[in-house]
Amino acid sequence: PEPEFGTRSIARQVLRATIQISRSTVQRVLREHKPPRPHQPAKPAMAASAGVTPHHLLTPQRINRIWHLDLLSLQILWFRFTVAAILDGFSRRLLCLRVYRRTPRARDMAALVRRVAKQFGKPRFVITDHGTQFRRQFQSAMKKMDVIPVQARVRAPYLNGKIERAFRTFRIWWRL
């Protein structure tokens, strides 16, 4: 308990919660020692694989190495639009913002990446979520371009968090 609380004030607070307790019981409970925790061995740290260097997906070291690609669905009155955005991981620059009337397919997303790569240069990695647009056909198109497609883990928005934050800012701007 806090130093300014005495056993009488603690007993009074517990009594207000309709639990009958005396001052001596509070003293006895406070004097009791916690049972020792069973010893748990420390987990061994995972060793890095030999010959594999980290690719710094979360903190890129230079411009145009990692791109984040994601989709945002907007409804305006009774119309539904899908917004596709590509963001540079290092500079957080919005490289492309494209609005689709219908939900884009894998070939639309691959064409978008190709078009942006012609303008800004080819990235090393493209980070996406697990949308249906980013499956087999999109991944094979990226491999033909010599770009490594990376899918973020399910329920782990931190890997693609930069584009998610950009979409949050976009939604705030849109509502003003």
Side-chain angles (χ1 to χ4, degrees), residues 60 62-68 86-90 95 110-127 138-149:
R62 59 180 199 258
I63 294 175
N64 208 26
R65 180 168 173 81
I66 297 172
W67 286 357
H68 298 268
I86 299 178
L87 190 80
D88 181 47
F90 179 77
L95 302 176
L112 184 68
V113 171
R114 267 188 242 108
R115 189 173 338 122
V116 175
K118 281 183 185 176
Q119 187 177 357
F120 294 100
K122 188 173 57 171
R124 180 80 175 121
F125 301 97
V126 172
I127 300 176
F138 176 79
Q139 290 181 357
S140 65
M142 291 298 103
K143 288 179 183 175
K144 285 180 187 174
M145 285 180 57
D146 198 29
V147 174
I148 300 170

Side-chain angles (χ1 to χ4, degrees), residues 27-147:
Q27 289 175 342
R28 184 179 45 82
V29 169
L30 290 176
R31 277 194 303 262
E32 287 180 358
H33 295 289
K34 293 181 181 177
R37 285 185 166 175
H39 178 68
Q40 295 177 349
K43 295 180 181 177
M46 289 182 58
S49 302
V52 177
T53 57
H55 296 292
H56 305 290
L57 292 177
L58 292 175
T59 55
Q61 302 299 317
R62 59 180 199 258
I63 294 175
N64 208 26
R65 180 168 173 81
I66 297 172
W67 286 357
H68 298 268
L69 171 63
D70 203 5
L71 300 173
L72 169 71
S73 191
L74 290 176
Q75 185 165 351
I76 303 166
L77 297 175
W78 51 86
F79 298 109
R80 182 172 291 277
F81 298 98
T82 303
V83 178
I86 299 178
L87 190 80
D88 181 47
F90 179 77
S91 64
R92 296 182 187 217
R93 178 181 177 189
L94 189 62
L95 302 176
C96 177
L97 190 68
R98 174 88 192 255
V99 179
Y100 294 94
R101 176 67 179 98
R102 296 182 180 166
T103 304
R105 296 185 298 245
R107 63 176 160 208
D108 299 328
M109 292 291 96
L112 184 68
V113 171
R114 267 188 242 108
R115 189 173 338 122
V116 175
K118 281 183 185 176
Q119 187 177 357
F120 294 100
K122 188 173 57 171
R124 180 80 175 121
F125 301 97
V126 172
I127 300 176
T128 63
D129 56 7
H130 284 265
T132 58
Q133 300 84 4
F134 308 119
R135 297 217 176 123
R136 190 177 303 137
Q137 187 179 3
F138 176 79
Q139 290 181 357
S140 65
M142 291 298 103
K143 288 179 183 175
K144 285 180 187 174
M145 285 180 57
D146 198 29
V147 174

Side-chain angles (χ1 to χ4, degrees), residues 25 134 160 173:
T25 306
F134 308 119
N160 214 9
W173 172 81

